[in-house]
Amino acid sequence: MSPDPLLHLAVALDGAGWHPAAWREPDARPDELFRGRYWTDLVAEAEEGLLDFVTIEDSFGLQSTDFNDVDDRVDQVRGRLDAVLTAARTAPATSHVGIVPTVVATHSEPFHLSKAIATLDYASTGRAGLRIQISAKPYEFALFGRRTTEPVRLADIDTDEVQAQIAERFSEAADYVEVLRRLWDSWEDDAEIRDAATGRFIDRDKLHHIDFEGDWFDVRGPSITPRPPQGQPIVTALGHATIPYQLIARSADVGFVTPHDRPGAAAIVAEIRREQEFAGRASDTVHVFGDLVVFLDESTQAAEERRARLDELAGTPFTSDAHIFAGTPSELADLLADWRHAGLTGYRLRPAALPHDLTQITRGLVPELQARGLFRTAYQATTLRGHLGLSRPANRYAAASDPALAAV
C-alpha cells in the first residue's frame, strides 16, 4: 500500500479507559458505564474529531488480571455491555464516524454475526465494521460448555503445544471471516425488486447458497439480510505475532499491531506485506494501524504525573501489550509522523482515561496533525470504506449468476 499523505485515526473505547484506575478520575462517569448515553457521547466526540472509526471492546468473560481465571478484585471495572448492541445504539446519534464492535469468533456463530453486522451497516448507513477476536481462556470456554481448553502460561507461549493451540483458534477465525464475507454477498445488490404491481418483492435467482465447507463451519446460506450498504463491512483484527499477522494479511481490511519503536513497526509491516503478497491480495487492500495507549495533557510532566497517580490508585504500575505514551498532543504528533515512515497507514489510540484522553485526541492531537497537513479537515466520504480509501467490492456471486458475464 503506497503511503497516503493523510494519516488514518481510530480510538479504542473500553469502559472508563484503558488504565484500570481510570474510573476513579474526577471527570470519569462510572455510574453511566452501562447506559447508552455514555457511549453515544464518546462516539459523538470521536466524530467531532473527524476520526475514521471507533472500536468497542468486548469479551464473554469478566475482565480479570488473571489470564486463566476470574479474579476477585473489587477495585476495578467489571462487566460490559454487548459491543454490537452498543454500536447499534450509537449509530443513529452519529452520521460519519465508523463504528466497529468486537466479536469473539471462538464462541459465536458467523451466521448470527453476519446479519447483526449487516444490520449495523444499515442502521449506520454504511459505517459498520467488526474486530474479530479469539478466546483462549478456560473460564470463557466453561461459559458455553461445548468444548474445553487447557490453561496457558505466558512463559509457555512459544512452545509447540501452545503455538498449535493458537494456530487452531486463528484458523477458526479465518474460516469465520470467510463465512461472514460470503453471507454478505449471498444477496446480489439488486435482489430486492419491491414491485407491488407485479407482486414480486425479491428475485430468487439473485439469492445464493454459499455452500461453505471448512474445518470449522459448514454453512449453506443464504443470509436473511440483504447485502449491506458497503457490500462488505470492514473487518479488523489485532495481532502481536506471525499467526495473527497471517489472519490480518489474508482476511482483514485493517490490522492493529503493537510496535514499541519505529524499527519494530517497519519489521511488522514488512511481515504482513509478505503474507499479503503470498495470499495474492492486492497491495492496497489492507491497512496496518499502530496501537498506542495514550496519556495526554498540556505538559509532559502533567501526563506523567497523572499516570503515576493512577498507578498508585491501582496499586501497581500500568503495563500493556502496546506502546504507552505519556506527553503532549504535539509530542504524540511527532511520534505518529515519525512511525508512519515505517509503513503504518494509521493508528488506533487507546485513551488511558475517558473522557479526558479522548478529548485530548480530538481537540489537541487532531488540530496538531491538521496543522502539519497530516489529517483531514473534513469528512470526504459517508461510509467507513470511503474514509479508508477502500472501494466497494463487487459481489462474488453476481458474475456467476449472469450468463453473459460468466462466459467472459
Side-chain angles (χ1 to χ4, degrees):
M1 178 174 286
S2 59
D4 190 315
L6 299 180
L7 287 172
H8 297 280
L9 281 181
V11 290
L13 302 178
D14 186 16
W18 287 79
H19 194 290
W23 68 278
R24 300 171 71 177
E25 282 286 88
D27 62 346
R29 298 160 60 182
D31 57 332
E32 298 181 53
L33 294 182
F34 305 115
R35 297 181 183 177
R37 179 62 181 269
Y38 175 76
W39 295 95
T40 58
D41 286 351
L42 294 178
V43 178
E45 179 64 33
E47 183 165 276
E48 283 294 314
L50 306 178
L51 303 189
D52 290 72
F53 60 90
V54 302
T55 62
I56 303 172
E57 294 300 299
D58 205 353
S59 65
F60 282 116
L62 284 174
Q63 303 94 318
S64 178
T65 56
D66 183 342
F67 181 83
N68 288 302
D69 206 350
V70 178
D71 63 24
D72 57 1
R73 297 191 68 151
V74 297
D75 63 333
Q76 298 179 3
V77 171
R78 294 293 182 263
R80 296 188 159 99
L81 298 179
D82 180 272
V84 175
L85 294 178
T86 300
R89 173 65 176 82
T90 67
T94 53
S95 58
H96 283 85
V97 68
I99 308 170
V100 180
T102 296
V103 171
V104 182
T106 312
H107 304 299
S108 60
E109 295 294 334
F111 186 89
H112 294 156
L113 257 297
S114 72
K115 63 189 183 73
I117 299 301
T119 301
L120 177 61
D121 209 39
Y122 276 103
S124 63
T125 59
R127 296 180 286 123
L130 65 95
R131 182 172 84 84
I132 196 77
Q133 180 174 277
I134 68 161
S135 170
K137 300 177 180 180
Y139 67 88
E140 292 189 353
F141 277 68
L143 296 172
F144 297 88
R146 293 197 291 258
R147 48 183 171 166
T148 60
T149 191
E150 294 299 317
V152 173
R153 295 190 314 146
L154 292 180
D156 299 330
I157 197 72
D158 293 324
T159 64
D160 291 344
E161 181 179 357
V162 173
Q163 285 297 302
Q165 181 178 325
I166 292 172
E168 187 175 85
R169 297 286 168 261
F170 276 94
S171 172
E172 180 180 21
D175 271 11
Y176 194 106
V177 173
E178 180 62 19
V179 173
L180 290 179
R181 292 195 182 280
R182 293 191 188 194
L183 286 168
W184 290 330
D185 276 352
S186 63
W187 289 56
E188 294 185 36
D189 289 318
D190 56 352
E192 298 164 82
I193 301 171
R194 304 174 183 172
D195 187 345
T198 63
R200 296 184 70 206
F201 188 85
I202 61 171
D203 183 342
R204 292 292 303 182
D205 291 334
K206 295 189 176 184
L207 270 63
H208 302 279
H209 297 300
I210 69 169
D211 293 326
F212 179 87
E213 294 183 10
D215 293 334
W216 300 97
F217 305 102
D218 290 333
V219 179
R220 187 179 186 211
S223 175
I224 65 167
T225 306
R227 195 172 193 233
Q230 293 183 100
Q232 292 278 319
I234 294 296
V235 176
T236 74
L238 172 66
H240 303 99
T242 295
I243 292 173
Y245 294 160
Q246 290 172 345
L247 176 69
I248 290 169
R250 299 172 186 178
S251 302
D253 302 296
V254 180
F256 308 124
V257 299
T258 54
H260 289 262
D261 53 33
R262 177 172 161 178
I268 293 170
V269 171
E271 182 173 358
I272 290 175
R273 297 304 181 210
R274 287 194 298 270
E275 292 288 349
Q276 188 180 341
E277 183 178 4
F278 180 76
R281 297 187 73 189
S283 60
D284 60 351
T285 56
V286 181
H287 283 282
V288 182
F289 282 23
D291 260 28
L292 298 92
V293 180
V294 296
F295 296 79
L296 297 174
D297 284 286
E298 293 183 358
S299 71
T300 303
Q301 181 179 352
E304 292 175 343
E305 288 177 350
R306 183 162 59 92
R307 178 181 175 183
R309 177 168 50 79
L310 288 171
D311 285 351
E312 184 176 0
L313 288 171
T316 185
F318 176 68
T319 61
S320 174
D321 57 315
H323 179 69
I324 302 172
F325 177 88
T328 68
S330 178
E331 291 168 338
L332 179 57
D334 291 339
L335 184 150
L336 303 187
D338 180 42
W339 285 19
R340 75 191 299 255
H341 296 297
L344 296 172
T345 56
Y347 298 91
R348 185 179 71 143
L349 304 178
R350 307 179 189 179
L354 293 168
H356 178 92
D357 290 303
L358 175 59
T359 57
Q360 288 288 318
I361 291 168
T362 58
R363 305 178 194 186
L365 175 65
V366 165
E368 182 69 31
L369 292 173
Q370 289 171 333
R372 303 183 189 198
L374 293 177
F375 194 66
R376 65 172 65 92
T377 56
Y379 282 115
Q380 301 299 319
T382 58
T383 68
L384 179 50
R385 297 192 75 89
H387 299 336
L388 295 169
L390 301 175
S391 61
R392 188 178 189 274
N395 187 307
R396 74 189 66 197
Y397 300 113
S401 67
D402 186 327
L405 292 175
V408 174

